[in-house]
Amino acid sequence: MLTNSSKYALKAVLYLTLHSDENHKLQVKDISEKINIPKAYSGKLLQALAKRNIISSSRGPRGGFYVDEGNKKQTIMAIIDTIDGRKKMDACLLGLDACNEENPCPLHDLFASSRSKMIKVFEETTLDDLVGSLGSKDLFLYK
Amino acid sequence: MLTNSSKYALKAVLYLTLHSDENHKLQVKDISEKINIPKAYSGKLLQALAKRNIISSSRGPRGGFYVDEGNKKQTIMAIIDTIDGRKKMDACLLGLDACNEENPCPLHDLFASSRSKMIKVFEETTLDDLVGSLGSKDLFLYK
DNA sequence: GATAAAATATGACTTAAATCATATTAAGTA
DNA sequence: TACTTAATATGATTTAAGTCATATTTTATC
């Protein structure tokens, strides 16, 4: 479904959404330790996310990564797309290029409705939404 | 979602379900050419499926792989499980070991219902069902 | 302005999935 | 029984994902 990379990216962005803002930037080291992923690897992912404006960053002393109000309008799908590429989500279960609604593979109809529901949720759910639904319980799992 | 290997396996089994029986066995070469996957690779997958009795095989002259009536009771999930291992399907979207119904990760509830529906379909759909639903139209896509 | 702290850019290394190759074993046929 | 045909078992090679390392650039602060 998702590569390791986009799982990591999702975790990192969620962490930033909950624990950072313009005045509380976090460094790669802090983030990677908290969410239990290799530092150098998370650095790379965070850079890719910042370039696409999913998250924000600033260099130099007191710099770091953070999520501002604008970033919170980003969706889960935007994160996945940045790291894995959107196409993978739409791909035929059997990997058939020619498979689609009009020309479905034998598994297409079994799978299509679940998948499109899932994709819709990913496209429509923003970081704001996620944080909202968590309410006050900060606790979630990074392992 | 699925590895390349299990996609190939699904294609191969579907092909066998439609085009083979005890009296019409197919060799690796025939199958791999028809479904457009590397011969040596499909050989390995077919062997694994035969060992688990998802499909049948016999050696020697006039031997080959085939799907008999018993094999047709096998499910899509059995194929996936043989090649990828069942666990992957149940795994948390974020890859969190500790994530479950009682202790859900932030994405859990967004994803859980689509996934369990999908899993249920995979577990309940047999090769018989698939062939039935195809009706007379043999045509499907191997590319 | 000099210094230090941070992200950025780039590339190398490692591991697992995907792919290929082949020697061995079993079964049908002459 | 010898020969041929096919799966089986095993392992080598290749490729892509995942991981790590570091030189460069930017920015705050003294």
Side-chain angles (χ1 to χ4, degrees), chain A residues 50-77:
Chain A
K51 189 179 278 185
R52 283 268 224 118
N53 200 39
I54 312 286
I55 62 177
S56 303
S57 66
S58 71
R59 303 196 203 190
R62 309 218 49 187
F65 294 96
Y66 61 100
V67 162
D68 64 20
E69 287 307 312
N71 298 139
K72 285 185 185 166
K73 303 293 178 215
Q74 295 283 359
T75 63
I76 296 175
M77 187 58 90

Side-chain angles (χ1 to χ4, degrees), chain B residues 130-143:
Chain B
L130 280 176
V131 172
S133 74
L134 283 176
S136 59
K137 52 174 173 179
D138 164 55
L139 43 89
F140 53 85
L141 322 154
Y142 295 109
K143 293 205 182 182

Side-chain angles (χ1 to χ4, degrees), chain B residues 22-71:
Chain B
E22 291 93 313
N23 303 313
H24 301 86
K25 297 165 188 168
L26 298 173
Q27 300 163 30
V28 172
K29 184 169 160 290
D30 303 324
I31 301 166
S32 62
E33 277 173 5
K34 285 293 167 47
I35 64 178
N36 276 293
I37 67 182
K39 182 182 156 209
Y41 196 5
S42 47
K44 204 169 218 179
L45 297 170
L46 289 165
Q47 286 170 30
L49 292 163
K51 189 179 279 185
R52 283 268 224 115
N53 199 39
I54 313 287
I55 62 177
S56 304
S57 66
S58 70
R59 303 197 203 189
R62 311 219 48 188
F65 294 96
Y66 60 100
V67 162
D68 63 21
E69 287 306 312
N71 298 140

Side-chain angles (χ1 to χ4, degrees), chain A residues 1-2 7 10 76 93-94 96-97 103 106-107 110-111 113-114 117-118 121-122 130 140-141 143, chain B residues 1-2 7 10 76 93-94 96-97 103 106-107 110-111 113-114 117-118 121-122 130 140-141 143:
Chain A
M1 187 86 243
L2 302 181
K7 287 177 193 170
L10 282 165
I76 296 175
L93 239 207
L94 296 179
L96 305 171
D97 293 338
N103 199 28
L107 298 184
L110 293 177
F111 180 57
S113 78
S114 300
K117 184 179 161 198
M118 222 161 58
V121 168
F122 288 166
L130 279 176
F140 52 88
L141 323 153
K143 292 204 183 183
Chain B
M1 188 87 242
L2 301 182
K7 288 176 192 169
L10 283 165
I76 296 175
L93 238 205
L94 296 179
L96 305 170
D97 292 339
N103 198 29
L107 298 185
L110 293 177
F111 180 57
S113 78
S114 300
K117 183 179 162 197
M118 224 161 55
V121 168
F122 289 166
L130 280 176
F140 53 85
L141 322 154
K143 293 205 182 182

